[in-house]
Amino acid sequence: MVGLIGSLGDYSGSTSKIANSLHGSKESTTSTYRTTSATVHMAFHSQANDSQPVWCRDGEVQMWLLGEAYGFQDKSGYTSRPSSMASVEFCASLYERLGWEFLTGLNGNFVGIVYDHVSETVSIFLDRFGTHPVFYARVDGTLVFSTQIQLLPSFSQISRRFDHEYLFEYLTLRRVFGTKTPLRDIEKFPPASVTTYDLSTHEVTSEIYWTPHYQPEDKPFEHFVETFIDVFQDVIDERLDSDREPGLMLSGGSDSRLILAAANRQLTAFHLAEWNNREARIAEQVAEIGNADLRILHRTDTTYLETLPQNASLSNFDGYYFQGYLTPFADEITESVDSLFTGLYADTLFKRYPIPTRSQSLGSLGTLTLPVGVKMSSLTDILEYWISSAGTALASPPEYLTTSHDLHEILSANVGWDDGKIDHHGIRYDSLDDLLVCSTYYPLSNDSELINLHSLRQLCPSHIPFLDNRLVDLHLRIPKRYRLRRDLINRAVQRLAPELAAIPHPSSDVPIARSYPVQYLGRQVASFRRKHLPRHQPPKYHLNQDSWRDHARFARHEDFVIDAIRKHKPTIQALPFLDWEGVKTVYRKHQNGENRTAELYTLLTLLEMPMIKQATMMNQMHSFSPGAAEESA
């Protein structure tokens, strides 16, 4: 898979076998560097990088880079990376001129390594959001690290003990927050950080070079629209390469529509669909008007089942296995395009999510979400909001997990004030607003669907235009009221491509050019009509008019969940933190009408993870002694 792995210090074992697990697509390139005290293995897309590492400072420093750097911002303005210069070369030139100060202005999605042979230090640096999470462990004078947590337990010095609090977070919330992981000895490097390992003293130091601060400006909405359009157009232009064939993941919504409008050239578009529903029909309209060559990626019931082993191997405890949506279509995509654009994180940065809003119960008709914010006056308010958003079914541990913790207890223990700042699972925020607004992307591993992005990166270089420093800086200045009762993305599409804005949004059946009140009313009417007065019945009980099936119904009426559970019965019984009878209880409750999809799907993902299979084998060989099992509980 595309990624990196390395060891620093006194590790005496061989890393070659572990590094063999790093393999990308058929177009990928690998790099291996080894000394007596440092080893780095990297696999990357060859079309995105030249040979690595590169040298700078007269041969004193080596640098590796996974991902891409797009430009650099300083007091004199913004400079895009020259198209003739590879990202790693661009970063090395900045480091040679500015030292570590270059990171404060570096714009991109990356993780990098600097080996300074003079100071005998190795530093690992992450972009502002930690878009490439890096996991690490320190054992007996050794620091091992990887972008893939599944590989780290392969190092013989790392234990395989699980922390039940964070395992519970994953099994119920599909992620583990902040710097934490479910493995006792493994954590994540913070976003926007430089972590330095001294090869002679084994000392580890870490510095944070950027933190987000939400500072809304009292300016007219149109000011933000004009600024956004100017910046977004620059972002897209910067990422389009005339020598590469670009692709686009196209939905029926507005985020990918905006990318199509700004690209101003023909793109090959891909749309995931299970039948010719309204979402797919609107995507076809968008592609036709936007002059895109549309390819429909048809998903079937077996698609969801066949991807379980492959996607579980990609998991960093950050989502369900099936959220690696593009894995089954790897060949079709890579044979058609050289890079892929996606509209991910537009909702996170420019729409209502994650701002708390009021709601009104309508009884049997459902719940009406109102575009009115709820004031969060204390940390307790935020924690209660998070818990209520998770759902009452998730507030206590799944019956199959042998623990007495609950969600309120875990969050209260891991989120609190410390020396005037808020510590959220090892990540610090300066204010309640910073925590509420920014913790959804700082770090990005707080995203419960990050496996989607990770699996996408395995195919080809991927572009996430919304995760650009300039756009995030703008997001930090937009008042909440505009995100609640306006739509910046829709307005931008209307300005750039009025013909695309005239096409309805699938959730409202209203053209996105219409005003926010009309859009809001349209969503409520469309939701009611589809629930109570459907015009078109899907061909199968678990399909919808949007891109996503009803997984609760699918898991309730098909045998694949219980078949997988039975297949993994020996694994469940071998692991000290799982209870076989509890697994059957959760499944039975789901069959009887409760929605236990989260607990079931994450359990299936967990059981197929390579590290779990390895731990099970070691457990059967008595690697898990009774004392170790008790300690892990």
Side-chain angles (χ1 to χ4, degrees):
M1 64 192 66
V2 175
L4 62 85
I5 189 169
S7 65
L8 307 173
D10 297 333
Y11 182 69
S12 58
S14 172
T15 60
S16 300
K17 184 176 181 181
I18 302 171
N20 286 338
S21 299
L22 285 180
H23 57 87
S25 68
K26 54 191 176 184
E27 303 296 330
S28 67
T29 300
T30 59
S31 170
T32 297
Y33 179 86
R34 183 181 293 106
T35 68
T36 56
S37 56
T39 300
V40 176
H41 302 279
M42 181 180 290
F44 50 88
H45 295 293
S46 55
Q47 63 265 49
N49 297 273
D50 289 337
S51 59
Q52 298 201 44
V54 298
W55 291 86
C56 61
R57 294 195 173 179
D58 298 324
E60 296 177 349
V61 172
Q62 290 172 288
M63 179 180 287
W64 294 258
L65 194 83
L66 181 67
E68 290 197 76
Y70 297 111
F72 179 76
Q73 177 86 47
D74 61 13
K75 293 180 179 179
S76 64
Y78 184 86
T79 303
S80 296
R81 171 176 58 85
S83 59
S84 60
M85 182 178 287
S87 291
V88 64
E89 295 171 339
F90 182 65
C91 291
S93 67
L94 290 171
Y95 177 79
E96 188 165 54
R97 178 163 58 93
L98 302 171
W100 286 115
E101 286 297 315
F102 90 98
L103 286 174
T104 61
L106 184 62
N107 181 30
N109 305 141
F110 53 79
V111 55
I113 301 174
V114 168
Y115 188 168
D116 189 322
H117 290 265
V118 175
S119 63
E120 294 188 343
T121 59
V122 178
S123 301
I124 302 167
F125 60 92
L126 277 65
D127 65 41
R128 288 186 177 186
F129 323 113
T131 56
H132 293 73
V134 179
F135 303 84
Y136 73 95
R138 293 188 65 189
V139 184
D140 299 332
T142 300
L143 178 74
V144 295
F145 58 92
S146 178
T147 52
Q148 182 59 29
I149 195 173
Q150 300 291 330
L151 300 181
L152 290 185
S154 299
F155 287 92
S156 59
Q157 293 163 298
I158 298 177
S159 73
R160 298 170 179 84
R161 297 177 300 163
F162 290 82
D163 189 310
H164 280 194
E165 289 188 11
Y166 302 129
L167 188 62
F168 165 69
E169 281 192 5
Y170 170 66
L171 289 169
T172 54
L173 302 178
R174 290 177 295 161
R175 66 280 184 85
V176 184
F177 293 111
T179 62
K180 308 304 180 182
T181 78
L183 293 170
R184 185 68 63 87
D185 291 337
I186 299 176
E187 290 201 349
K188 298 170 240 180
F189 288 128
S193 67
V194 180
T195 301
T196 300
Y197 182 92
D198 190 308
L199 294 171
S200 58
T201 66
H202 306 309
E203 180 183 4
V204 178
T205 58
S206 185
E207 294 186 7
I208 303 296
Y209 64 83
W210 180 85
T211 54
H213 299 290
Y214 181 60
Q215 297 176 310
E217 298 177 349
D218 188 15
K219 293 184 178 181
F221 179 65
E222 288 304 316
H223 163 80
F224 295 106
V225 173
E226 293 170 5
T227 304
F228 175 83
I229 291 174
D230 289 344
V231 174
F232 193 81
Q233 187 66 68
D234 289 342
V235 169
I236 297 300
D237 291 344
E238 196 173 65
R239 286 156 175 75
L240 286 173
D241 188 331
S242 59
D243 295 330
R244 299 185 197 167
E245 180 65 31
L248 169 66
M249 290 307 303
L250 182 67
S251 70
S254 56
D255 307 334
S256 56
R257 226 182 277 194
L258 177 61
I259 298 173
L260 184 62
N264 197 29
R265 61 175 286 185
Q266 186 175 43
L267 302 178
T268 299
F270 302 94
H271 178 76
L272 289 164
E274 299 182 66
W275 67 293
N276 191 33
N277 61 10
R278 181 159 183 76
E279 175 98 14
R281 295 195 298 272
I282 288 179
E284 289 174 347
Q285 293 181 53
V286 171
E288 182 178 1
I289 296 298
N291 190 33
D293 178 14
L294 183 64
R295 316 284 177 86
I296 302 294
L297 305 177
H298 291 282
R299 294 182 296 195
T300 66
D301 292 351
T302 56
T303 301
Y304 285 93
L305 310 182
E306 294 169 352
T307 58
L308 175 54
Q310 185 174 356
N311 281 345
S313 69
L314 297 175
S315 175
N316 284 324
F317 295 98
D318 49 15
Y320 300 143
Y321 75 90
F322 69 75
Q323 290 168 325
Y325 303 113
L326 300 183
T327 300
F329 310 103
D331 290 342
E332 184 172 350
I333 292 172
T334 56
E335 289 172 3
S336 304
V337 299
D338 300 314
S339 63
L340 198 59
F341 283 82
T342 173
L344 289 171
Y345 304 107
D347 290 357
T348 299
L349 296 170
F350 296 106
K351 299 183 183 179
R352 181 183 67 83
Y353 179 77
I355 301 171
T357 55
R358 300 186 185 278
S359 60
Q360 179 65 49
S361 174
L362 302 178
S364 61
L365 297 180
T367 300
L368 180 65
T369 300
L370 303 172
V372 179
V374 177
K375 184 175 178 57
M376 299 281 111
S377 302
S378 68
L379 192 54
T380 300
D381 289 343
I382 294 179
L383 294 184
E384 292 299 331
Y385 167 68
W386 285 349
I387 292 169
S388 64
S389 299
T392 55
L394 303 183
S396 58
E399 289 84 346
Y400 55 67
L401 189 60
T402 57
T403 178
S404 58
H405 297 295
D406 61 28
L407 188 57
H408 187 281
E409 184 179 274
I410 292 172
L411 291 179
S412 297
N414 285 276
V415 186
W417 289 99
D418 179 35
D419 195 23
K421 296 181 182 291
I422 301 170
D423 188 300
H424 176 17
H425 289 73
I427 304 295
R428 297 172 74 82
Y429 305 85
D430 286 344
S431 69
L432 292 173
D433 268 346
D434 290 349
L435 173 69
L436 190 64
V437 173
C438 307
S439 63
T440 51
Y441 63 85
Y442 181 83
L444 202 65
S445 56
N446 282 353
D447 175 22
S448 62
E449 296 187 23
L450 192 58
I451 190 175
N452 178 18
L453 177 57
H454 186 43
S455 62
L456 186 157
R457 284 184 172 135
Q458 304 307 311
L459 309 184
C460 58
S462 57
H463 301 297
I464 321 160
F466 292 99
L467 287 182
D468 182 279
N469 290 3
R470 295 162 290 180
L471 288 175
V472 173
D473 288 343
L474 176 62
H475 138 86
L476 292 170
R477 302 196 302 269
I478 298 176
K480 295 176 186 175
R481 66 181 184 275
Y482 292 151
R483 293 179 62 179
L484 290 172
R485 295 183 289 278
R486 300 291 185 94
D487 198 312
L488 186 68
I489 306 297
N490 285 0
R491 185 66 65 88
V493 175
Q494 185 180 6
R495 292 280 190 87
L496 290 175
E499 65 280 7
L500 292 180
I503 301 173
H505 192 285
S507 69
S508 65
D509 296 338
V510 173
I512 67 173
R514 301 296 298 273
S515 66
Y516 182 85
V518 175
Q519 288 284 338
Y520 176 79
L521 181 61
R523 285 196 298 272
Q524 313 312 316
V525 173
S527 178
F528 176 85
R529 186 179 66 245
R530 288 168 188 166
K531 183 176 181 180
H532 300 283
L533 302 169
R535 295 176 182 174
H536 305 285
Q537 289 290 351
K540 292 184 179 181
Y541 63 90
H542 53 263
L543 300 182
N544 295 312
Q545 292 292 342
D546 57 26
S547 294
W548 317 117
R549 61 174 50 194
D550 186 333
H551 278 281
R553 302 183 77 183
F554 182 55
R556 190 170 293 128
H557 292 88
E558 300 295 327
D559 292 334
F560 79 97
V561 172
I562 191 60
D563 289 345
I565 288 173
R566 289 168 178 157
K567 169 189 170 184
H568 288 290
K569 181 178 179 179
T571 301
I572 294 169
Q573 293 178 322
L575 294 173
F577 51 81
L578 293 180
D579 176 69
W580 170 247
E581 293 300 322
V583 172
K584 292 192 295 182
T585 298
V586 173
Y587 180 74
R588 189 183 311 114
K589 288 184 176 181
H590 186 80
Q591 293 302 101
N592 290 335
E594 294 185 21
N595 187 352
R596 310 302 291 272
T597 309
E599 296 98 314
L600 290 171
Y601 275 25
T602 44
L603 176 64
L604 295 189
T605 308
L606 179 77
L607 294 171
E608 283 284 350
M609 291 181 185
M611 61 179 296
I612 293 296
K613 294 180 179 179
Q614 182 184 42
T616 304
M617 293 176 60
M618 296 301 293
N619 187 28
Q620 292 170 342
M621 297 168 60
H622 307 292
S623 175
F624 277 101
S625 67
E630 182 178 339
E631 183 179 0
S632 71

